[in-house]
Every structure is written in C-alpha cells, then in structure tokens.
Amino acid sequence: MGEAVMARKCHISPHVTINTLPDEVLLIIFAFCRVVTLKCQDELFLEYPWPGPWPLIWHELAEVCQRWRYVMFSSPLRLDLRIYCINDTSVKLLDVWPPFPIEVFPDRPHRYDLGEYIVTALEHRDRICQVHIGVPHSQPEFERFTTIMQGPFPALTSLDIWSESEPQDEGAPVDGTLLRQLPDTFLVGSAPHLQSLTLTGVPFPTLPQLLSSLTFKDLSDLWVQSIPELGYISPDAMATGLSALTRLTTLSIGFQEFHLDRITRYPPPFTRLILPALTTFYFRGVNEYLEALLAQIDAPQLETFSITFFSEPILDIRELVYHSQTLWSFSRANVTISEHYADIRLGLLKGTVKYPLDLKIHGEGERPDWHASSLAQVLSRSLSLLSGITELAIAIHSPYKLQEHLEVFMDNAEWLDLFRPFTAVRTLRLTGDQSFLVSPLRWLTGERVTEVLPALQDIYFYKDYESKLGAKYMQPCMELFIAARRHSGHPVRVHPLELPSYRSRSPAALRIRRLNHGSST
C-alpha cells in the first residue's frame, strides 16, 4: 500500500517494471555497466585478476532472461562482447555463446606451458582478437607454440607475450631455466591487423626485420621490455625496424642489463627517419644506446618522454626535447631522490600532459646525497632548458636503516648544487626528509645569500620541529635562511604545512611566523 501511494506522488505507475523499458534504454544500461566495471577494474584486480570483471558481468546479464540476452546479442560491437578463455570451463563456452571475439589469458600469472584450453582456443583463428601468454620453457611446447602462432590470425589486434630466465613454480624441470629465442618466421604474415605488440623478457633479435617487412601496417603500440642479452637489438637495427611504423603512437624500449661493448658507433645519417604519429616514448637502458637511436629518428608530435638510465648519463637533456615540436618551455619541475635513484620530471603549468619529460637515474649505494649529486651534474649541463622553471618540488626519501646516521651526510653543502640550475624558481615545495635540503641553506649568508634560487619567493614544507632532527636542523637553519634573505632585500615567505598530529601554535611555528613578518621578537 505504501509503495502505491509513493508511486502516485511521484507520478509513476505502480505496475511499471524494468520489462517496460525499450531495448535502446536497456542497451544504455548494459553499456553503463560495462563502463563502470572497466573503470573499477584496477580496484577489483585482486578479486578478478584474470581478466577483469566485465566478462563475468555480461555473462550474468545474458542469463537473466531471454529478452536481455536477445538485446545484448543484437549489439555485440556496441557492448564489446568477448569470450575470455582463462581455463577449461571458459573454453566450453565457445560452442555455447555466439561467435564473439576471443581473448586468451593464462589461468595464473607466471605460467610457461601450453594448457589444452589455450591450444583449443587458438584453433579458432578467425575469432582470436587478443592473446596474453608466457613463452613455454620446455623445447617441445615451445616448438608447438611457435607453430600455432604462425596463424593466420586475421582478427588479432593485441599480442602480449613474456618470458623469464628462471621458472617461477617449484619443481620446474631443469631446462625450464633457459630462455627460448623466437624464430625468424614468428608472426610473419599471420597478424595483418595487429595494433599492439608487447614483448617482455623475450629474446627476439630479428624483430626489426619483422617490423620493416610492412607486416604490421596498423601497429600503434610497441612495447619491447626487459630485453635480455640473448635478444640484443642494435640501435641501427631498431631504427630500421621502426621506419615502417608510420602509425606508431607509443614506443617502449627497455633492457634487463647492458654491455657498452655491444654498441657500434657509426656517423649519424644525413637524414633522420620520421615517426609522424609517435606521442609517447619510454626508454630504459644506457645513455650511449639512446644517443645512437635518437641520432637517427625524429618524432615531431612527441608529448611524453620517460627515460630510465642504469647509471649517470653524460648527456645534455636539451638534446631530448629537440626531437619534438611540443616539448618546450618547461615551467615546473618535480624532483625525487631515494635510496636507489634520482628522478626529475619537467612539466608545464598548462597542457594535457602534466609532466612531458621524465628522467630517472639509477645508481649504486643507498645514500640519497650520492644520487642527488649525480642528478645535479646532469642538470648543470642543461641550464637553458631549466631557465623557465618557476615551480620546483623536491622529495627526499632516505632508507630506514640510515635514519640513525642522517647527521653524518645531512650537513653537506653539495646539496646546494641541486638548487643551482633553477635560477627562475619562485615557489619551492619540500617533502620527505627535508632536513637534507634545509640544513645547507644556513651557508647562504652575506654575499652568498642569492647564490642559489635568487628568484625564490615562497617555500612550502611540512613542519618537523617536534622531532629530534627537526629541532636541531630544520628550525634554526630555516630561521637563519629567512633572516639572511630578508636583510639582503630578497625576502622569502615560509609556509609550514600542517601535519594532522602537529600542534599549530607551537613555539617553533610562532617564531617562523614572526620571521615572515620581519620581526625577531
């Protein structure tokens, strides 16, 4: 009775059910379910590791009633209906559901053998649209795998294969420790509509010949990651292979380890090959390889350039942006120093890409001041590129086991070298172990007061005065720096950011506020 009264007040018939909705509205609802489940896939990854929630959702929706099943199956492209083969049970659905596209996944991560359900699924060659598979370790299964992948697979748009030098499962055979090198004939002519190719840890030294054969005219994403020594590809061969990929938008090249003696240096070519559609480039390796590769290619539409070096590069990072017409006029920088690496991201105050250039340097040792010194040397070679940076954020993360010895290498004036290239910075934000950066500021007195960060106007940092190191370093050093800048006619405003458990009216915080207002009382 109550529901009927409520329905009349809302001008809704109490007899209206979901069955009265037209097919088009149901399609919109089903499409919304797909969007929501795919959007939440990252949060649900632990619950649905292979391959995600949507295939389970549409199966359940199709089993509600005959009409829902009819509506869904009448618009399979609109709802992107696919059959995900992840185990023996899912393969049985291939003969039950309509001939939707098929995606093949292993039933668990780090699987390096061909399950029968994988072989059965791959027999439906004209329906296979995506394949995610580990290269088999055993020689018989590896040969079976390469034979099956000869195709043809006319609907295949995405191929993701990976390999590891050591087996992940206990009790694996001895020969499972060997990497299997893909043959020259792998994928030749078998996937003419491939759009995404990912090779992780897979030795495939003849990949450039495959790419340059015009086999993959539609390829837009190429990820060649964790290249092992067995699968080394020279910069010249890589450039030759990329020359045919006119629709390539994303490129990732990364090595597991590197030996510089593998690089043969040649004079740069008279003309560079153009990658007209490339917008994103990821690289992980050594400086010499990247220089040799960049000497042969240009990417005028490049928007994101992310680089990870194994060691300190001898490189002017200005050379990186010269390969693009869009990576110019950086206005902000984000620096992170940790126990394993130093990282700088250069970005724009406006634009669709927040940080177009990302440079990370891995180094030996765990002391963050060593990594900061390596980064400072790289930045010192690129002063003109940093001349427009007005906002600088620096985060220092020291390893926990060094916390008790921070004082030994905290009071190091070389930390100031990290600031020197940023002559136009007006806003500085500090996070993490801020004492590293604040402590050396006390050396900037007298004529040296504007030696670094001459344009600085504001400093934002988290208050750490309650800790032992904060009371010994942060408070007195910050007070000395503020007073010196004020007396020199270049005042700096300090903005201590509140921590949840911090007492906002502590004596130390009050002293900082008084210094900001030019009073020492």
Side-chain angles (χ1 to χ4, degrees), residues 85 91 94 102 104 116-124 128:
C85 293
V91 169
L94 296 177
I102 300 171
V104 180
E116 286 303 318
Y117 78 92
I118 294 179
V119 176
T120 302
L122 292 178
E123 290 176 351
H124 297 75
I128 298 292

Side-chain angles (χ1 to χ4, degrees), residues 82-393:
R82 303 180 184 185
I83 298 178
Y84 291 73
C85 293
I86 58 176
N87 50 38
D88 295 332
T89 302
S90 58
V91 169
K92 297 177 181 179
L93 296 177
L94 296 177
D95 298 326
V96 176
W97 299 113
F100 297 142
I102 300 171
E103 287 196 30
V104 180
F105 286 82
D107 57 358
R108 64 182 184 275
H110 307 297
R111 177 168 184 168
Y112 297 97
D113 64 313
L114 288 179
E116 286 303 318
Y117 78 92
I118 294 179
V119 176
T120 302
L122 292 178
E123 290 176 351
H124 297 75
R125 300 180 184 277
D126 59 334
R127 295 168 56 189
I128 298 292
C129 66
Q130 293 192 25
V131 176
H132 310 262
I133 191 171
V135 175
H137 282 149
S138 69
Q139 183 64 27
E141 287 208 340
F142 175 76
E143 295 177 354
R144 187 183 185 189
F145 164 72
T146 55
T147 301
I148 292 175
M149 291 307 299
Q150 292 309 310
F153 295 96
L156 184 64
T157 59
S158 178
L159 176 61
D160 179 7
I161 60 178
W162 58 88
S163 182
E164 291 185 3
S165 58
E166 295 293 337
Q168 298 296 312
D169 298 328
E170 296 183 1
V174 175
D175 65 344
T177 62
L178 300 176
L179 284 173
R180 302 296 178 183
Q181 180 175 311
L182 296 181
D184 300 352
T185 57
F186 186 75
L187 285 182
V188 174
S190 62
H193 300 294
L194 193 68
Q195 300 175 12
S196 176
L197 175 62
T198 301
L199 304 173
T200 304
V202 179
F204 195 8
T206 58
L207 174 64
Q209 290 90 311
L210 176 64
L211 298 177
S212 60
S213 65
L214 300 178
T215 300
F216 306 135
K217 295 182 180 180
D218 297 330
L219 194 68
S220 60
D221 298 307
L222 176 61
W223 300 76
V224 190
Q225 306 171 120
S226 298
I227 302 175
E229 181 70 14
L230 180 62
Y232 175 77
I233 302 172
S234 70
D236 301 300
M238 184 68 76
T240 301
L242 296 175
S243 62
L245 306 181
T246 57
R247 298 184 181 181
L248 191 67
T249 60
T250 301
L251 172 64
S252 177
I253 301 174
F255 294 87
Q256 291 181 0
E257 57 183 13
F258 208 91
H259 301 285
L260 292 179
D261 56 0
R262 298 295 300 270
I263 300 179
T264 303
R265 297 184 178 276
Y266 299 99
F270 292 104
T271 59
R272 300 174 186 265
L273 65 93
I274 305 297
L275 299 178
L278 189 67
T279 59
T280 304
F281 182 22
Y282 301 97
F283 177 80
R284 185 177 189 272
V286 296
N287 168 51
E288 289 78 3
Y289 189 99
L290 182 61
E291 281 190 319
L293 181 62
L294 293 183
Q296 305 179 60
I297 64 175
D298 268 331
Q301 302 302 319
L302 193 64
E303 296 180 348
T304 301
F305 201 164
S306 179
I307 310 162
T308 300
F309 287 125
F310 294 151
S311 59
E312 179 183 330
I314 308 300
L315 175 72
D316 184 344
I317 59 178
R318 289 178 301 175
E319 299 176 6
L320 304 179
V321 303
Y322 290 159
H323 296 270
S324 169
Q325 299 175 355
T326 57
L327 293 178
W328 295 100
S329 303
F330 295 115
S331 53
R332 62 179 174 182
N334 192 314
V335 175
T336 301
I337 309 292
S338 78
E339 58 183 307
H340 299 300
Y341 65 87
D343 176 71
I344 180 169
R345 294 181 295 163
L346 300 180
L348 312 171
L349 292 179
K350 297 181 180 180
T352 56
V353 181
K354 190 174 183 180
Y355 291 101
L357 181 59
D358 186 354
L359 174 62
K360 182 178 293 186
I361 305 171
H362 281 268
E364 298 179 357
E366 297 179 338
R367 287 180 47 164
D369 55 335
W370 293 344
H371 304 312
S373 177
S374 297
L375 181 60
Q377 293 184 40
V378 174
L379 297 182
S380 66
R381 308 185 193 106
S382 312
L383 298 180
S384 62
L385 187 64
L386 308 176
S387 60
I389 302 293
T390 59
E391 292 188 8
L392 174 62

